[in-house]
Amino acid sequence: MRDRLQQGGENLLFLTDDQLLQGIELLFFAYRGFTSDPDRILENYTYGRAHHRAIHFIHRRPGTSVNSMLDILGVTKQSLNRVLRQLIEDGLVESKIGEKDRRERHLFLTKSGKELESELSSAQRKRLRTAYKEAGPDAVLGFRKVLENIMDPSMRKHVKKLVKD
Amino acid sequence: MRDRLQQGGENLLFLTDDQLLQGIELLFFAYRGFTSDPDRILENYTYGRAHHRAIHFIHRRPGTSVNSMLDILGVTKQSLNRVLRQLIEDGLVESKIGEKDRRERHLFLTKSGKELESELSSAQRKRLRTAYKEAGPDAVLGFRKVLENIMDPSMRKHVKKLVKD
DNA sequence: AATTTATGTCAGTCTTGTTGACTTTCCAAG
DNA sequence: CTTGGAAAGTCAACAAGACTGACATAAATT
């Protein structure tokens, strides 16, 4: 009876503050695990997580402009510039002047950039693949749906859609 | 046919690299959204995300020792100490010398500590509650299952279990 | 021609991580 | 009982990576 009143007749037990707080902690611990593999690999280089993020998104969206990277990464241009400068100097990233608009710089991974990307990505994919496999396809669907809802709506367009077969 | 071979006869399309890379991006964007509300609130204080984390876990586990906080947060004691010192100086956290072992310090939120916790937590819970509500209970179950699998197994014990009614 | 846009750079600050050295307290082996 | 090591916590100095602000250059737009 008390429950019915609180829940408005529906089963909304998954929305209690306790459940939400547990969700907050799950996200915290999971995200730390999720970043730990690449972080460990990057210790052998002079790079950090910021470089990883840049490399990931350049890989997934070859040819994006600096400006759109700023949008995606949500950092200042000064911050991104420091990272890009190093990656370009070290020959992992190539910056090509735009053909249509010559103010723009379009970013690409070089061969060795792709190699590092692959090393970082495969560690992270391995962790996710195991997690997905153990949870099963339905759980993964729910996982994705909740994450989509958590992010700022303006960011949803940046999640690269899957290629239809 | 080609699919059957690749998938070993099962429907494992949710384990393709494309799906995994999409999951990586979802986690990235969702986590940023998830931390943005507290970050915005904390701009009005002299605190940052590290303080938020300390406050959250002290709230959830009143009386924990500094050492167990180190385990949970995964930072060095020097790093945590700086944060705790500020919070104690400002009267948000109380540190009590252990009765059994006088080397230990047990941590508690004061009244104003609880107030800040509540402000930060309610913003984050609100975002998560909306996300949960729109996704539905089954999706939330999957969300939690995948997150549990992603985190390092040694961290699972730190996710506070829900109180059974 | 003037303005706006895209990018890059220099300088300085802040948060939050790190390592190294130190003190206090506890406990156990001689 | 003493002594030596381990554990808990503190202080100091440093580094990565975010930030703001000011300014420069080139190209596109009005």
Side-chain angles (χ1 to χ4, degrees):
Chain A
M1 175 53 178
R2 179 172 151 276
D3 280 345
R4 300 270 327 260
L5 281 176
Q6 283 187 335
Q7 297 166 25
E10 295 177 54
N11 182 14
L12 298 180
L13 277 180
F14 72 111
L15 295 177
T16 61
D17 281 354
D18 241 25
Q19 294 267 353
L20 296 170
L21 286 171
Q22 199 207 35
I24 288 170
E25 296 186 359
L26 280 167
L27 257 173
F28 169 70
F29 289 118
Y31 197 77
R32 212 175 47 198
F34 167 72
T35 53
S36 64
D37 306 314
D39 283 355
R40 218 175 348 267
I41 292 168
L42 287 165
E43 278 176 12
N44 308 318
Y45 300 80
T46 55
Y47 303 138
R49 205 177 287 181
H51 303 80
H52 178 202
R53 289 197 287 258
I55 287 173
H56 169 93
F57 284 107
I58 294 173
H59 171 69
R60 290 270 282 176
R61 294 150 185 78
T64 19
S65 66
V66 172
N67 232 337
S68 88
M69 286 286 286
L70 293 179
D71 231 40
I72 290 169
L73 296 174
V75 295
T76 58
K77 62 177 177 176
Q78 293 91 327
S79 194
L80 175 59
N81 187 253
R82 191 195 318 113
V83 167
L84 286 180
R85 197 166 47 211
Q86 291 173 283
L87 293 173
I88 291 169
E89 271 174 17
D90 297 351
L92 302 188
V93 168
E94 202 180 353
S95 160
K96 289 183 184 165
I97 294 179
E99 295 187 359
K100 232 182 65 182
D101 186 335
R102 292 172 45 81
R103 291 172 305 180
E104 291 181 345
R105 299 294 133 91
H106 298 281
L107 303 168
F108 301 88
L109 292 187
T110 64
K111 187 162 179 296
S112 50
K114 283 175 191 166
E115 279 167 18
L116 178 54
E117 190 284 328
S118 162
E119 189 184 352
L120 296 168
S121 170
S122 73
Q124 215 160 28
R125 273 182 287 118
K126 185 179 177 187
R127 182 182 287 257
L128 207 55
R129 187 182 301 113
T130 307
Y132 275 16
K133 208 181 289 179
E134 285 177 10
D138 292 346
V140 171
L141 228 52
F143 169 73
R144 290 216 298 243
K145 201 189 284 185
V146 174
L147 289 184
E148 281 249 6
N149 291 341
I150 289 175
M151 76 177 68
D152 281 355
S154 63
M155 286 296 122
R156 293 201 187 121
K157 64 172 178 294
H158 292 306
V159 179
K160 191 152 183 196
K161 287 301 167 297
L162 300 169
V163 186
K164 293 268 166 59
D165 290 5
Chain B
M1 175 55 180
R2 179 175 151 275
D3 280 343
R4 301 268 330 257
L5 281 177
Q6 283 186 335
Q7 298 164 26
E10 296 177 54
N11 182 14
L12 297 180
L13 277 181
F14 72 112
L15 296 177
T16 60
D17 281 355
D18 240 26
Q19 294 266 355
L20 296 170
L21 287 171
Q22 199 207 36
I24 288 170
E25 297 186 358
L26 280 167
L27 257 174
F28 170 70
F29 289 118
Y31 197 76
R32 214 175 46 195
F34 167 71
T35 52
S36 64
D37 307 312
D39 283 355
R40 218 175 348 264
I41 292 169
L42 286 164
E43 278 177 11
N44 308 318
Y45 300 79
T46 55
Y47 303 137
R49 204 176 288 181
H51 302 81
H52 179 202
R53 289 197 288 257
I55 287 173
H56 169 94
F57 284 108
I58 294 173
H59 170 70
R60 291 269 282 174
R61 295 151 184 78
T64 20
S65 68
V66 172
N67 228 337
S68 86
M69 286 285 287
L70 293 178
D71 232 40
I72 291 169
L73 296 174
V75 294
T76 58
K77 60 181 176 174
Q78 295 90 330
S79 190
L80 175 58
N81 187 254
R82 192 195 312 115
V83 167
L84 287 179
R85 194 167 51 214
Q86 292 172 283
L87 293 174
I88 290 168
E89 270 174 18
D90 297 349
L92 301 189
V93 167
E94 204 180 354
S95 159
K96 291 183 183 166
I97 294 178
E99 295 187 359
K100 235 182 64 184
D101 187 335
R102 292 171 43 80
R103 291 172 302 183
E104 291 182 346
R105 300 295 132 92
H106 298 281
L107 304 169
F108 301 87
L109 292 187
T110 64
K111 188 163 178 294
S112 50
K114 283 175 191 166
E115 279 167 15
L116 178 55
E117 189 284 328
S118 163
E119 189 184 352
L120 296 168
S121 170
S122 73
Q124 214 160 27
R125 274 182 285 119
K126 185 180 174 186
R127 182 182 287 256
L128 206 54
R129 188 181 302 114
T130 307
Y132 275 16
K133 209 181 290 181
E134 284 176 10
D138 292 346
V140 171
L141 229 54
F143 169 73
R144 290 217 296 244
K145 201 189 284 184
V146 174
L147 288 184
E148 281 249 6
N149 291 343
I150 290 175
M151 75 177 69
D152 281 356
S154 62
M155 286 295 122
R156 294 202 187 119
K157 63 172 178 294
H158 292 305
V159 179
K160 192 149 183 199
K161 287 299 168 295
L162 300 170
V163 186
K164 291 267 164 61
D165 292 3

